[in-house]
PDB file of all heavy atoms in Angstrom:
ATOM      1  N   VAL A 748     -28.654 -18.632  -1.521  1.00  0.00           N
ATOM      2  CA  VAL A 748     -29.694 -18.981  -0.552  1.00  0.00           C
ATOM      3  C   VAL A 748     -29.212 -20.140   0.301  1.00  0.00           C
ATOM      4  O   VAL A 748     -28.733 -21.150  -0.223  1.00  0.00           O
ATOM      5  CB  VAL A 748     -31.012 -19.361  -1.254  1.00  0.00           C
ATOM      6  CG1 VAL A 748     -32.082 -19.714  -0.223  1.00  0.00           C
ATOM      7  CG2 VAL A 748     -31.494 -18.238  -2.161  1.00  0.00           C
ATOM      8  N   GLN A 749     -29.329 -20.006   1.626  1.00  0.00           N
ATOM      9  CA  GLN A 749     -28.981 -21.102   2.530  1.00  0.00           C
ATOM     10  C   GLN A 749     -30.035 -21.210   3.621  1.00  0.00           C
ATOM     11  O   GLN A 749     -30.503 -20.205   4.152  1.00  0.00           O
ATOM     12  CB  GLN A 749     -27.602 -20.888   3.154  1.00  0.00           C
ATOM     13  CG  GLN A 749     -27.119 -22.081   3.967  1.00  0.00           C
ATOM     14  CD  GLN A 749     -25.633 -22.017   4.280  1.00  0.00           C
ATOM     15  OE1 GLN A 749     -24.860 -21.466   3.492  1.00  0.00           O
ATOM     16  NE2 GLN A 749     -25.223 -22.561   5.399  1.00  0.00           N
ATOM     17  N   THR A 750     -30.418 -22.448   3.939  1.00  0.00           N
ATOM     18  CA  THR A 750     -31.444 -22.714   4.940  1.00  0.00           C
ATOM     19  C   THR A 750     -30.810 -23.223   6.228  1.00  0.00           C
ATOM     20  O   THR A 750     -29.864 -24.017   6.198  1.00  0.00           O
ATOM     21  CB  THR A 750     -32.440 -23.765   4.405  1.00  0.00           C
ATOM     22  OG1 THR A 750     -33.058 -23.270   3.215  1.00  0.00           O
ATOM     23  CG2 THR A 750     -33.518 -24.063   5.433  1.00  0.00           C
ATOM     24  N   PHE A 751     -31.343 -22.756   7.362  1.00  0.00           N
ATOM     25  CA  PHE A 751     -30.876 -23.165   8.678  1.00  0.00           C
ATOM     26  C   PHE A 751     -32.080 -23.656   9.483  1.00  0.00           C
ATOM     27  O   PHE A 751     -33.152 -23.055   9.419  1.00  0.00           O
ATOM     28  CB  PHE A 751     -30.220 -21.991   9.413  1.00  0.00           C
ATOM     29  CG  PHE A 751     -29.042 -21.389   8.686  1.00  0.00           C
ATOM     30  CD1 PHE A 751     -29.238 -20.461   7.663  1.00  0.00           C
ATOM     31  CD2 PHE A 751     -27.746 -21.738   9.031  1.00  0.00           C
ATOM     32  CE1 PHE A 751     -28.161 -19.903   6.992  1.00  0.00           C
ATOM     33  CE2 PHE A 751     -26.665 -21.181   8.367  1.00  0.00           C
ATOM     34  CZ  PHE A 751     -26.868 -20.270   7.340  1.00  0.00           C
ATOM     35  N   SER A 752     -31.878 -24.710  10.259  1.00  0.00           N
ATOM     36  CA  SER A 752     -32.979 -25.251  11.055  1.00  0.00           C
ATOM     37  C   SER A 752     -33.196 -24.422  12.309  1.00  0.00           C
ATOM     38  O   SER A 752     -32.246 -24.100  13.029  1.00  0.00           O
ATOM     39  CB  SER A 752     -32.692 -26.699  11.450  1.00  0.00           C
ATOM     40  OG  SER A 752     -33.670 -27.160  12.364  1.00  0.00           O
ATOM     41  N   VAL A 753     -34.456 -24.108  12.581  1.00  0.00           N
ATOM     42  CA  VAL A 753     -34.795 -23.386  13.797  1.00  0.00           C
ATOM     43  C   VAL A 753     -34.581 -24.253  15.035  1.00  0.00           C
ATOM     44  O   VAL A 753     -34.545 -23.746  16.160  1.00  0.00           O
ATOM     45  CB  VAL A 753     -36.252 -22.875  13.728  1.00  0.00           C
ATOM     46  CG1 VAL A 753     -37.238 -24.018  13.921  1.00  0.00           C
ATOM     47  CG2 VAL A 753     -36.503 -21.763  14.727  1.00  0.00           C
ATOM     48  N   LEU A 754     -34.421 -25.563  14.844  1.00  0.00           N
ATOM     49  CA  LEU A 754     -34.173 -26.464  15.964  1.00  0.00           C
ATOM     50  C   LEU A 754     -32.718 -26.427  16.440  1.00  0.00           C
ATOM     51  O   LEU A 754     -32.392 -26.976  17.484  1.00  0.00           O
ATOM     52  CB  LEU A 754     -34.535 -27.899  15.578  1.00  0.00           C
ATOM     53  CG  LEU A 754     -36.015 -28.184  15.345  1.00  0.00           C
ATOM     54  CD1 LEU A 754     -36.210 -29.628  14.902  1.00  0.00           C
ATOM     55  CD2 LEU A 754     -36.825 -27.901  16.591  1.00  0.00           C
ATOM     56  N   THR A 755     -31.852 -25.794  15.670  1.00  0.00           N
ATOM     57  CA  THR A 755     -30.456 -25.688  16.062  1.00  0.00           C
ATOM     58  C   THR A 755     -30.336 -24.892  17.361  1.00  0.00           C
ATOM     59  O   THR A 755     -30.975 -23.847  17.495  1.00  0.00           O
ATOM     60  CB  THR A 755     -29.644 -24.981  14.954  1.00  0.00           C
ATOM     61  OG1 THR A 755     -29.845 -25.659  13.713  1.00  0.00           O
ATOM     62  CG2 THR A 755     -28.165 -24.961  15.285  1.00  0.00           C
ATOM     63  N   PRO A 756     -29.538 -25.372  18.326  1.00  0.00           N
ATOM     64  CA  PRO A 756     -29.328 -24.575  19.538  1.00  0.00           C
ATOM     65  C   PRO A 756     -28.930 -23.146  19.179  1.00  0.00           C
ATOM     66  O   PRO A 756     -28.170 -22.924  18.234  1.00  0.00           O
ATOM     67  CB  PRO A 756     -28.203 -25.319  20.254  1.00  0.00           C
ATOM     68  CG  PRO A 756     -28.356 -26.742  19.806  1.00  0.00           C
ATOM     69  CD  PRO A 756     -28.825 -26.654  18.381  1.00  0.00           C
ATOM     70  N   LEU A 757     -29.466 -22.198  19.924  1.00  0.00           N
ATOM     71  CA  LEU A 757     -29.376 -20.798  19.532  1.00  0.00           C
ATOM     72  C   LEU A 757     -27.945 -20.329  19.293  1.00  0.00           C
ATOM     73  O   LEU A 757     -27.657 -19.664  18.286  1.00  0.00           O
ATOM     74  CB  LEU A 757     -30.053 -19.925  20.585  1.00  0.00           C
ATOM     75  CG  LEU A 757     -30.173 -18.439  20.230  1.00  0.00           C
ATOM     76  CD1 LEU A 757     -31.005 -18.263  18.969  1.00  0.00           C
ATOM     77  CD2 LEU A 757     -30.785 -17.679  21.393  1.00  0.00           C
ATOM     78  N   ARG A 758     -27.039 -20.646  20.190  1.00  0.00           N
ATOM     79  CA  ARG A 758     -25.666 -20.165  20.015  1.00  0.00           C
ATOM     80  C   ARG A 758     -24.967 -20.856  18.848  1.00  0.00           C
ATOM     81  O   ARG A 758     -24.143 -20.244  18.162  1.00  0.00           O
ATOM     82  CB  ARG A 758     -24.880 -20.331  21.322  1.00  0.00           C
ATOM     83  CG  ARG A 758     -25.402 -19.401  22.414  1.00  0.00           C
ATOM     84  CD  ARG A 758     -24.594 -19.479  23.692  1.00  0.00           C
ATOM     85  NE  ARG A 758     -25.176 -18.593  24.691  1.00  0.00           N
ATOM     86  CZ  ARG A 758     -24.882 -17.301  24.821  1.00  0.00           C
ATOM     87  NH1 ARG A 758     -23.988 -16.749  24.001  1.00  0.00           N
ATOM     88  NH2 ARG A 758     -25.462 -16.562  25.745  1.00  0.00           N
ATOM     89  N   GLU A 759     -25.307 -22.121  18.620  1.00  0.00           N
ATOM     90  CA  GLU A 759     -24.775 -22.810  17.448  1.00  0.00           C
ATOM     91  C   GLU A 759     -25.321 -22.192  16.168  1.00  0.00           C
ATOM     92  O   GLU A 759     -24.595 -22.009  15.179  1.00  0.00           O
ATOM     93  CB  GLU A 759     -25.127 -24.290  17.526  1.00  0.00           C
ATOM     94  CG  GLU A 759     -24.586 -25.122  16.383  1.00  0.00           C
ATOM     95  CD  GLU A 759     -24.991 -26.579  16.489  1.00  0.00           C
ATOM     96  OE1 GLU A 759     -25.218 -27.047  17.628  1.00  0.00           O
ATOM     97  OE2 GLU A 759     -25.085 -27.247  15.444  1.00  0.00           O
ATOM     98  N   LEU A 760     -26.602 -21.864  16.179  1.00  0.00           N
ATOM     99  CA  LEU A 760     -27.202 -21.181  15.038  1.00  0.00           C
ATOM    100  C   LEU A 760     -26.534 -19.836  14.802  1.00  0.00           C
ATOM    101  O   LEU A 760     -26.249 -19.469  13.650  1.00  0.00           O
ATOM    102  CB  LEU A 760     -28.703 -20.984  15.294  1.00  0.00           C
ATOM    103  CG  LEU A 760     -29.471 -20.151  14.269  1.00  0.00           C
ATOM    104  CD1 LEU A 760     -29.430 -20.798  12.890  1.00  0.00           C
ATOM    105  CD2 LEU A 760     -30.926 -19.945  14.715  1.00  0.00           C
ATOM    106  N   ALA A 761     -26.274 -19.105  15.879  1.00  0.00           N
ATOM    107  CA  ALA A 761     -25.617 -17.802  15.751  1.00  0.00           C
ATOM    108  C   ALA A 761     -24.250 -17.941  15.102  1.00  0.00           C
ATOM    109  O   ALA A 761     -23.868 -17.134  14.235  1.00  0.00           O
ATOM    110  CB  ALA A 761     -25.502 -17.142  17.118  1.00  0.00           C
ATOM    111  N   ARG A 762     -23.507 -18.962  15.498  1.00  0.00           N
ATOM    112  CA  ARG A 762     -22.174 -19.167  14.905  1.00  0.00           C
ATOM    113  C   ARG A 762     -22.281 -19.480  13.412  1.00  0.00           C
ATOM    114  O   ARG A 762     -21.484 -18.982  12.599  1.00  0.00           O
ATOM    115  CB  ARG A 762     -21.445 -20.299  15.633  1.00  0.00           C
ATOM    116  CG  ARG A 762     -20.972 -19.921  17.035  1.00  0.00           C
ATOM    117  CD  ARG A 762     -19.982 -20.946  17.565  1.00  0.00           C
ATOM    118  NE  ARG A 762     -20.618 -22.237  17.805  1.00  0.00           N
ATOM    119  CZ  ARG A 762     -21.189 -22.587  18.949  1.00  0.00           C
ATOM    120  NH1 ARG A 762     -21.217 -21.743  19.970  1.00  0.00           N
ATOM    121  NH2 ARG A 762     -21.745 -23.791  19.091  1.00  0.00           N
ATOM    122  N   ALA A 763     -23.268 -20.304  13.047  1.00  0.00           N
ATOM    123  CA  ALA A 763     -23.447 -20.650  11.630  1.00  0.00           C
ATOM    124  C   ALA A 763     -23.844 -19.423  10.812  1.00  0.00           C
ATOM    125  O   ALA A 763     -23.344 -19.218   9.695  1.00  0.00           O
ATOM    126  CB  ALA A 763     -24.500 -21.746  11.493  1.00  0.00           C
ATOM    127  N   LEU A 764     -24.724 -18.602  11.366  1.00  0.00           N
ATOM    128  CA  LEU A 764     -25.116 -17.386  10.660  1.00  0.00           C
ATOM    129  C   LEU A 764     -23.956 -16.407  10.554  1.00  0.00           C
ATOM    130  O   LEU A 764     -23.783 -15.726   9.530  1.00  0.00           O
ATOM    131  CB  LEU A 764     -26.301 -16.725  11.375  1.00  0.00           C
ATOM    132  CG  LEU A 764     -27.643 -17.450  11.267  1.00  0.00           C
ATOM    133  CD1 LEU A 764     -28.669 -16.813  12.194  1.00  0.00           C
ATOM    134  CD2 LEU A 764     -28.153 -17.434   9.828  1.00  0.00           C
ATOM    135  N   GLN A 765     -23.167 -16.322  11.612  1.00  0.00           N
ATOM    136  CA  GLN A 765     -22.011 -15.432  11.579  1.00  0.00           C
ATOM    137  C   GLN A 765     -21.051 -15.830  10.461  1.00  0.00           C
ATOM    138  O   GLN A 765     -20.511 -14.977   9.749  1.00  0.00           O
ATOM    139  CB  GLN A 765     -21.286 -15.467  12.925  1.00  0.00           C
ATOM    140  CG  GLN A 765     -20.196 -14.417  13.076  1.00  0.00           C
ATOM    141  CD  GLN A 765     -20.768 -13.023  13.149  1.00  0.00           C
ATOM    142  OE1 GLN A 765     -21.493 -12.684  14.068  1.00  0.00           O
ATOM    143  NE2 GLN A 765     -20.466 -12.202  12.146  1.00  0.00           N
ATOM    144  N   ALA A 766     -20.856 -17.141  10.302  1.00  0.00           N
ATOM    145  CA  ALA A 766     -19.967 -17.625   9.254  1.00  0.00           C
ATOM    146  C   ALA A 766     -20.541 -17.354   7.861  1.00  0.00           C
ATOM    147  O   ALA A 766     -19.798 -17.051   6.918  1.00  0.00           O
ATOM    148  CB  ALA A 766     -19.714 -19.120   9.439  1.00  0.00           C
ATOM    149  N   TYR A 767     -21.854 -17.438   7.742  1.00  0.00           N
ATOM    150  CA  TYR A 767     -22.499 -17.217   6.442  1.00  0.00           C
ATOM    151  C   TYR A 767     -22.612 -15.733   6.107  1.00  0.00           C
ATOM    152  O   TYR A 767     -22.572 -15.347   4.938  1.00  0.00           O
ATOM    153  CB  TYR A 767     -23.884 -17.871   6.460  1.00  0.00           C
ATOM    154  CG  TYR A 767     -24.634 -17.770   5.157  1.00  0.00           C
ATOM    155  CD1 TYR A 767     -24.125 -18.328   3.989  1.00  0.00           C
ATOM    156  CD2 TYR A 767     -25.866 -17.121   5.099  1.00  0.00           C
ATOM    157  CE1 TYR A 767     -24.820 -18.241   2.795  1.00  0.00           C
ATOM    158  CE2 TYR A 767     -26.574 -17.036   3.912  1.00  0.00           C
ATOM    159  CZ  TYR A 767     -26.051 -17.594   2.764  1.00  0.00           C
ATOM    160  OH  TYR A 767     -26.730 -17.500   1.585  1.00  0.00           O
ATOM    161  N   ALA A 768     -22.769 -14.890   7.122  1.00  0.00           N
ATOM    162  CA  ALA A 768     -22.870 -13.431   6.957  1.00  0.00           C
ATOM    163  C   ALA A 768     -23.969 -13.043   5.970  1.00  0.00           C
ATOM    164  O   ALA A 768     -23.699 -12.460   4.908  1.00  0.00           O
ATOM    165  CB  ALA A 768     -21.537 -12.851   6.515  1.00  0.00           C
ATOM    166  N   PRO A 769     -25.235 -13.335   6.296  1.00  0.00           N
ATOM    167  CA  PRO A 769     -26.323 -13.035   5.354  1.00  0.00           C
ATOM    168  C   PRO A 769     -26.538 -11.540   5.178  1.00  0.00           C
ATOM    169  O   PRO A 769     -26.378 -10.758   6.120  1.00  0.00           O
ATOM    170  CB  PRO A 769     -27.538 -13.690   6.019  1.00  0.00           C
ATOM    171  CG  PRO A 769     -27.221 -13.655   7.483  1.00  0.00           C
ATOM    172  CD  PRO A 769     -25.745 -13.894   7.564  1.00  0.00           C
ATOM    173  N   THR A 770     -26.947 -11.159   3.986  1.00  0.00           N
ATOM    174  CA  THR A 770     -27.377  -9.776   3.753  1.00  0.00           C
ATOM    175  C   THR A 770     -28.868  -9.635   3.998  1.00  0.00           C
ATOM    176  O   THR A 770     -29.356  -8.536   4.267  1.00  0.00           O
ATOM    177  CB  THR A 770     -27.038  -9.336   2.325  1.00  0.00           C
ATOM    178  OG1 THR A 770     -27.670 -10.225   1.390  1.00  0.00           O
ATOM    179  CG2 THR A 770     -25.538  -9.342   2.081  1.00  0.00           C
ATOM    180  N   VAL A 771     -29.610 -10.745   3.890  1.00  0.00           N
ATOM    181  CA  VAL A 771     -31.039 -10.768   4.193  1.00  0.00           C
ATOM    182  C   VAL A 771     -31.309 -11.952   5.116  1.00  0.00           C
ATOM    183  O   VAL A 771     -31.005 -13.094   4.769  1.00  0.00           O
ATOM    184  CB  VAL A 771     -31.903 -10.885   2.923  1.00  0.00           C
ATOM    185  CG1 VAL A 771     -33.382 -10.946   3.287  1.00  0.00           C
ATOM    186  CG2 VAL A 771     -31.640  -9.712   1.979  1.00  0.00           C
ATOM    187  N   LEU A 772     -31.871 -11.669   6.290  1.00  0.00           N
ATOM    188  CA  LEU A 772     -32.237 -12.709   7.248  1.00  0.00           C
ATOM    189  C   LEU A 772     -33.744 -12.902   7.193  1.00  0.00           C
ATOM    190  O   LEU A 772     -34.503 -11.946   7.342  1.00  0.00           O
ATOM    191  CB  LEU A 772     -31.809 -12.303   8.660  1.00  0.00           C
ATOM    192  CG  LEU A 772     -32.252 -13.223   9.814  1.00  0.00           C
ATOM    193  CD1 LEU A 772     -31.629 -14.608   9.673  1.00  0.00           C
ATOM    194  CD2 LEU A 772     -31.910 -12.593  11.157  1.00  0.00           C
ATOM    195  N   ILE A 773     -34.179 -14.147   6.978  1.00  0.00           N
ATOM    196  CA  ILE A 773     -35.598 -14.464   6.864  1.00  0.00           C
ATOM    197  C   ILE A 773     -35.936 -15.482   7.950  1.00  0.00           C
ATOM    198  O   ILE A 773     -35.395 -16.585   7.965  1.00  0.00           O
ATOM    199  CB  ILE A 773     -35.931 -15.058   5.480  1.00  0.00           C
ATOM    200  CG1 ILE A 773     -35.342 -14.194   4.355  1.00  0.00           C
ATOM    201  CG2 ILE A 773     -37.436 -15.214   5.307  1.00  0.00           C
ATOM    202  CD1 ILE A 773     -35.407 -14.850   2.980  1.00  0.00           C
ATOM    203  N   THR A 774     -36.839 -15.117   8.855  1.00  0.00           N
ATOM    204  CA  THR A 774     -37.169 -16.040   9.935  1.00  0.00           C
ATOM    205  C   THR A 774     -38.430 -15.605  10.650  1.00  0.00           C
ATOM    206  O   THR A 774     -39.138 -14.694  10.191  1.00  0.00           O
ATOM    207  CB  THR A 774     -35.992 -16.168  10.920  1.00  0.00           C
ATOM    208  OG1 THR A 774     -36.262 -17.246  11.835  1.00  0.00           O
ATOM    209  CG2 THR A 774     -35.758 -14.890  11.690  1.00  0.00           C
ATOM    210  N   TYR A 775     -38.721 -16.245  11.771  1.00  0.00           N
ATOM    211  CA  TYR A 775     -39.889 -15.945  12.584  1.00  0.00           C
ATOM    212  C   TYR A 775     -39.536 -14.857  13.602  1.00  0.00           C
ATOM    213  O   TYR A 775     -38.394 -14.760  14.052  1.00  0.00           O
ATOM    214  CB  TYR A 775     -40.369 -17.201  13.302  1.00  0.00           C
ATOM    215  CG  TYR A 775     -40.474 -18.395  12.380  1.00  0.00           C
ATOM    216  CD1 TYR A 775     -39.471 -19.362  12.353  1.00  0.00           C
ATOM    217  CD2 TYR A 775     -41.559 -18.533  11.519  1.00  0.00           C
ATOM    218  CE1 TYR A 775     -39.560 -20.451  11.493  1.00  0.00           C
ATOM    219  CE2 TYR A 775     -41.648 -19.620  10.667  1.00  0.00           C
ATOM    220  CZ  TYR A 775     -40.646 -20.575  10.648  1.00  0.00           C
ATOM    221  OH  TYR A 775     -40.732 -21.640   9.792  1.00  0.00           O
ATOM    222  N   PRO A 776     -40.494 -14.060  14.013  1.00  0.00           N
ATOM    223  CA  PRO A 776     -40.210 -12.997  14.981  1.00  0.00           C
ATOM    224  C   PRO A 776     -39.545 -13.483  16.259  1.00  0.00           C
ATOM    225  O   PRO A 776     -38.616 -12.842  16.759  1.00  0.00           O
ATOM    226  CB  PRO A 776     -41.591 -12.397  15.255  1.00  0.00           C
ATOM    227  CG  PRO A 776     -42.338 -12.599  13.977  1.00  0.00           C
ATOM    228  CD  PRO A 776     -41.871 -13.940  13.476  1.00  0.00           C
ATOM    229  N   SER A 777     -39.997 -14.606  16.796  1.00  0.00           N
ATOM    230  CA  SER A 777     -39.406 -15.091  18.047  1.00  0.00           C
ATOM    231  C   SER A 777     -37.939 -15.454  17.862  1.00  0.00           C
ATOM    232  O   SER A 777     -37.102 -15.186  18.729  1.00  0.00           O
ATOM    233  CB  SER A 777     -40.198 -16.296  18.575  1.00  0.00           C
ATOM    234  OG  SER A 777     -40.221 -17.340  17.625  1.00  0.00           O
ATOM    235  N   CYS A 778     -37.612 -16.082  16.728  1.00  0.00           N
ATOM    236  CA  CYS A 778     -36.225 -16.443  16.461  1.00  0.00           C
ATOM    237  C   CYS A 778     -35.378 -15.200  16.199  1.00  0.00           C
ATOM    238  O   CYS A 778     -34.262 -15.080  16.713  1.00  0.00           O
ATOM    239  CB  CYS A 778     -36.157 -17.395  15.273  1.00  0.00           C
ATOM    240  SG  CYS A 778     -34.491 -17.977  14.882  1.00  0.00           S
ATOM    241  N   ALA A 779     -35.906 -14.271  15.406  1.00  0.00           N
ATOM    242  CA  ALA A 779     -35.170 -13.040  15.122  1.00  0.00           C
ATOM    243  C   ALA A 779     -34.922 -12.247  16.398  1.00  0.00           C
ATOM    244  O   ALA A 779     -33.852 -11.646  16.576  1.00  0.00           O
ATOM    245  CB  ALA A 779     -35.940 -12.190  14.118  1.00  0.00           C
ATOM    246  N   ALA A 780     -35.885 -12.242  17.306  1.00  0.00           N
ATOM    247  CA  ALA A 780     -35.723 -11.524  18.570  1.00  0.00           C
ATOM    248  C   ALA A 780     -34.637 -12.163  19.429  1.00  0.00           C
ATOM    249  O   ALA A 780     -33.848 -11.468  20.075  1.00  0.00           O
ATOM    250  CB  ALA A 780     -37.045 -11.478  19.323  1.00  0.00           C
ATOM    251  N   ALA A 781     -34.600 -13.494  19.450  1.00  0.00           N
ATOM    252  CA  ALA A 781     -33.561 -14.180  20.219  1.00  0.00           C
ATOM    253  C   ALA A 781     -32.180 -13.884  19.646  1.00  0.00           C
ATOM    254  O   ALA A 781     -31.211 -13.662  20.386  1.00  0.00           O
ATOM    255  CB  ALA A 781     -33.831 -15.685  20.225  1.00  0.00           C
ATOM    256  N   LEU A 782     -32.067 -13.878  18.310  1.00  0.00           N
ATOM    257  CA  LEU A 782     -30.798 -13.534  17.673  1.00  0.00           C
ATOM    258  C   LEU A 782     -30.442 -12.076  17.924  1.00  0.00           C
ATOM    259  O   LEU A 782     -29.264 -11.730  18.121  1.00  0.00           O
ATOM    260  CB  LEU A 782     -30.883 -13.805  16.172  1.00  0.00           C
ATOM    261  CG  LEU A 782     -30.987 -15.279  15.761  1.00  0.00           C
ATOM    262  CD1 LEU A 782     -31.315 -15.393  14.277  1.00  0.00           C
ATOM    263  CD2 LEU A 782     -29.691 -16.024  16.078  1.00  0.00           C
ATOM    264  N   ALA A 783     -31.455 -11.221  17.945  1.00  0.00           N
ATOM    265  CA  ALA A 783     -31.217  -9.801  18.209  1.00  0.00           C
ATOM    266  C   ALA A 783     -30.624  -9.586  19.594  1.00  0.00           C
ATOM    267  O   ALA A 783     -29.742  -8.736  19.792  1.00  0.00           O
ATOM    268  CB  ALA A 783     -32.508  -9.012  18.049  1.00  0.00           C
TER     269      ALA A 783
END
Protein backbone atom coordinates (compact mmCIF):
# COMPACT_ATOMS: atom_id res chain seq x y z
CA VAL A 1 0.00 0.00 0.00
CA GLN A 2 1.33 3.45 -0.93
CA THR A 3 -0.34 6.84 -0.50
CA PHE A 4 0.05 9.79 -2.88
CA SER A 5 -1.08 13.36 -2.26
CA VAL A 6 -3.77 14.71 -4.54
CA LEU A 7 -2.01 18.08 -4.22
CA THR A 8 0.93 16.78 -6.25
CA PRO A 9 1.12 18.44 -9.69
CA LEU A 10 -0.63 16.12 -12.10
CA ARG A 11 2.33 15.20 -14.29
CA GLU A 12 4.54 14.69 -11.25
CA LEU A 13 1.86 12.46 -9.77
CA ALA A 14 1.67 10.54 -13.04
CA ARG A 15 5.42 9.91 -12.96
CA ALA A 16 5.24 8.67 -9.36
CA LEU A 17 2.37 6.34 -10.17
CA GLN A 18 4.16 5.08 -13.26
CA ALA A 19 7.17 4.19 -11.12
CA TYR A 20 4.98 2.43 -8.55
CA ALA A 21 2.89 0.58 -11.18
CA PRO A 22 -0.22 -0.03 -9.03
CA THR A 23 -2.49 -2.98 -9.67
CA VAL A 24 -5.33 -1.16 -7.88
CA LEU A 25 -5.77 2.61 -8.15
CA ILE A 26 -7.93 4.21 -5.45
CA THR A 27 -8.87 7.87 -5.82
CA TYR A 28 -11.56 10.45 -6.55
CA PRO A 29 -13.39 10.52 -9.89
CA SER A 30 -11.99 13.92 -10.86
CA CYS A 31 -8.42 12.79 -10.21
CA ALA A 32 -8.91 9.44 -11.94
CA ALA A 33 -10.38 11.23 -14.96
CA ALA A 34 -7.40 13.58 -15.17
CA LEU A 35 -5.03 10.60 -15.01
CA ALA A 36 -7.14 8.81 -17.61
